[in-house]
Amino acid sequence: MRIPAYIKTSVEEWLEGFKFSGEIKVRFSETDGFGHLNNTNAFVYFEEVRTDFFKHLGFMQKWTSLEYEAMIVVADLQCDYIKQVHFDERLTVSVKVNDIGRSSLDLHYVALNAQNDICLIGRGTVVQINKETGLSLAWDDDFKMLFKQA
Amino acid sequence: MRIPAYIKTSVEEWLEGFKFSGEIKVRFSETDGFGHLNNTNAFVYFEEVRTDFFKHLGFMQKWTSLEYEAMIVVADLQCDYIKQVHFDERLTVSVKVNDIGRSSLDLHYVALNAQNDICLIGRGTVVQINKETGLSLAWDDDFKMLFKQA
Amino acid sequence: MRIPAYIKTSVEEWLEGFKFSGEIKVRFSETDGFGHLNNTNAFVYFEEVRTDFFKHLGFMQKWTSLEYEAMIVVADLQCDYIKQVHFDERLTVSVKVNDIGRSSLDLHYVALNAQNDICLIGRGTVVQINKETGLSLAWDDDFKMLFKQA
Amino acid sequence: MRIPAYIKTSVEEWLEGFKFSGEIKVRFSETDGFGHLNNTNAFVYFEEVRTDFFKHLGFMQKWTSLEYEAMIVVADLQCDYIKQVHFDERLTVSVKVNDIGRSSLDLHYVALNAQNDICLIGRGTVVQINKETGLSLAWDDDFKMLFKQA
């Protein structure tokens, strides 16, 4: 298995760091003419577990509220496709905070199939921005604490 | 060819009524494991031509503006799949106003392939609603005039 | 609540006929700029419960196998949008056989939110076809029996 | 503007290397509840220009043919979101071959808006594999020549 450069430890150690997961079933509409999961849907799955994670921490509710000053944007995303995924497979998709910046988070992702094979590995940065100005907005200390414990 | 019950004239006459069209190229990510266009994407194509149509009439800009009191919602939609569509096909998707209600429009849709075969036939109602109350909002007379001429 | 014409009984009686359901959580990527579920995704949800239903009956496995002579295509689909749906809502989406044709099935759909409000009502015909010829293929008697009991 | 690490020259020089482009109009169904293009659709746009590019070179037709021994899979993908994109914007999405491996290609992507601002930057590896064995399949010399000239 080729290991992406952003995994700095052994894969086993890296996998152990994930505490938050969601279950996903591959839809027929998510496959393509090659008969397997279309590559674009890996990022749909990453977004689903990311929004669940933020909701679990109490953030997603704030960001989607009209009154709240801040929202979150994706700054970059990447995925390594390790093993083909097919219609109706059950994936366990996990997310963890790899690094906390001033106003950003570096998140890591992994999707395992029912046999516990790694199918997808990913990472990406999200940034908190001010809705009016579009400028980055530093995390409160409370937020940072939550992310550290997550 | 089976003709949907909401086409009340000959198909030829019905086709002649369409004046507004857009070109669509079928994406690989829009096909599915059966190797053809996944059925759900017919409604993506209908929405694309519908929003272009409303933009052409000057409405879409209003509805997507935060300040504007009204927005538009889809009340119902249907599609008859007449001929299979495959990756990379070019479709001409057309929309027309079939009927104008107090606050609603009954729109008809058709998608033809490069050989001018009918692939998709559709219809659906959209309703103008007030963003605050969610209640239907009657069309201005100016709007009705525009819809009649469209 | 407006009742679609294809519901021939009371809504209560119609709802009681559904025995097969799946749970769906609305993804952020399934919302649109109006802040609610984009209309096109209703059909994604209907397809998910339909393929689960066919898999439950033992059909989906046959149709997606390369060796099997038949596959299933969607002949028509429709949806009535009864109540707005938002990000992160849990929907219970159900499907039932309304009518069995020679080679076709008329399926009915309903999606309820967590408060048991009807959000989406739908129907549509699927047809079994021969993969080589593309012509419709009559159901075996065994299949018909299964559909009647479903 | 933050420049991804895989751009090894000046951005100006990097941009000049793109010769193949496609035009994309952002669909309403591709926006999300934050009112802008949902991040997952960047990869839909990359796939559209990639399949057009391969079709232009004469490959896509081979890979989607049932008889052909090889197909292509995405090994990894990444995107940097430089500037927000909204409904109805026109993007020019370009692709180029950055590097040619034994059986793989490293492709770079860029999406510019109507004001020629860079909105999306991406890269990713595709690999040619044997359909039966799933193993990587080296490019013919003719293929390599085509990729070099593309």
Side-chain angles (χ1 to χ4, degrees), chain D residues 28-134:
Chain D
F28 195 66
S29 58
E30 294 165 353
T31 63
D32 64 28
F34 282 158
H36 56 202
L37 178 69
N38 183 266
N39 64 80
T40 64
N41 291 302
F43 300 97
V44 174
Y45 299 170
F46 290 170
E47 180 167 273
E48 175 155 4
V49 70
R50 180 175 66 244
T51 54
D52 278 353
F53 178 59
F54 285 141
K55 197 190 152 204
H56 170 73
L57 295 176
F59 292 106
M60 202 64 202
Q61 301 86 325
K62 292 183 183 173
W63 289 320
T64 54
S65 141
L66 275 181
E67 297 78 28
Y68 197 68
E69 61 169 341
M71 62 185 268
I72 201 149
V73 292
V74 170
D76 79 305
L77 267 179
Q78 62 189 103
C79 179
D80 282 75
Y81 302 84
I82 308 298
K83 196 178 160 68
Q84 285 197 51
V85 176
H86 296 91
F87 167 63
D88 206 39
E89 279 199 60
R90 262 74 172 168
L91 299 180
T92 303
V93 187
S94 305
V95 64
K96 67 175 176 182
V97 176
N98 180 60
D99 197 36
I100 307 173
R102 197 190 68 94
S103 59
S104 67
L105 288 180
D106 181 45
L107 300 173
H108 281 196
Y109 304 90
V110 69
L112 305 177
N113 66 13
Q115 291 75 44
N116 260 346
D117 300 322
I118 295 180
C119 297
L120 307 169
I121 290 177
R123 62 153 297 285
T125 309
V126 293
V127 180
Q128 184 177 246
I129 64 169
N130 181 291
K131 283 179 184 170
E132 297 286 326
T133 66

Side-chain angles (χ1 to χ4, degrees), chain B residues 20-85:
Chain B
F20 188 88
S21 299
E23 301 298 314
I24 280 173
K25 184 156 58 71
V26 177
R27 293 172 176 164
F28 195 66
S29 57
E30 294 165 355
T31 63
D32 64 27
F34 282 158
H36 56 206
L37 179 70
N38 184 264
N39 65 80
T40 64
N41 291 303
F43 300 97
V44 173
Y45 298 170
F46 289 171
E47 180 166 273
E48 176 156 3
V49 70
R50 179 174 67 245
T51 55
D52 278 351
F53 178 60
F54 285 141
K55 198 191 152 203
H56 170 73
L57 295 176
F59 291 106
M60 202 64 204
Q61 300 87 325
K62 292 184 182 173
W63 289 321
T64 54
S65 141
L66 275 181
E67 297 78 30
Y68 198 67
E69 62 169 342
M71 62 185 268
I72 201 150
V73 291
V74 170
D76 78 306
L77 268 179
Q78 61 189 105
C79 180
D80 282 74
Y81 301 83
I82 308 299
K83 195 176 160 70
Q84 286 197 49
V85 175

Side-chain angles (χ1 to χ4, degrees), chain C residues 28-41:
Chain C
F28 194 65
S29 57
E30 294 166 352
T31 63
D32 64 27
F34 282 158
H36 57 204
L37 179 69
N38 183 264
N39 63 80
T40 64
N41 290 303

Side-chain angles (χ1 to χ4, degrees), chain C residues 89-104:
Chain C
E89 279 199 60
R90 263 72 173 169
L91 299 180
T92 303
V93 187
S94 305
V95 62
K96 67 175 176 181
V97 176
N98 181 60
D99 196 37
I100 307 173
R102 198 191 66 94
S103 60
S104 68

Side-chain angles (χ1 to χ4, degrees), chain A residues 24-25 27-30 41 44-45 47-48 51-52 55 60 64 87-88 90, chain C residues 24-25 27-30 41 44-45 47-48 51-52 55 60 64 87-88 90:
Chain A
I24 279 173
K25 184 156 58 69
R27 293 172 175 164
F28 195 65
S29 58
E30 294 165 353
N41 290 303
V44 173
Y45 298 170
E47 180 166 273
E48 176 155 3
T51 55
D52 278 353
K55 197 191 153 204
M60 202 64 203
T64 54
F87 166 64
D88 205 39
R90 262 73 172 167
Chain C
I24 279 173
K25 184 157 58 70
R27 293 173 176 164
F28 194 65
S29 57
E30 294 166 352
N41 290 303
V44 173
Y45 298 170
E47 181 167 274
E48 176 155 3
T51 54
D52 278 352
K55 197 191 152 201
M60 202 63 203
T64 54
F87 166 64
D88 205 41
R90 263 72 173 169

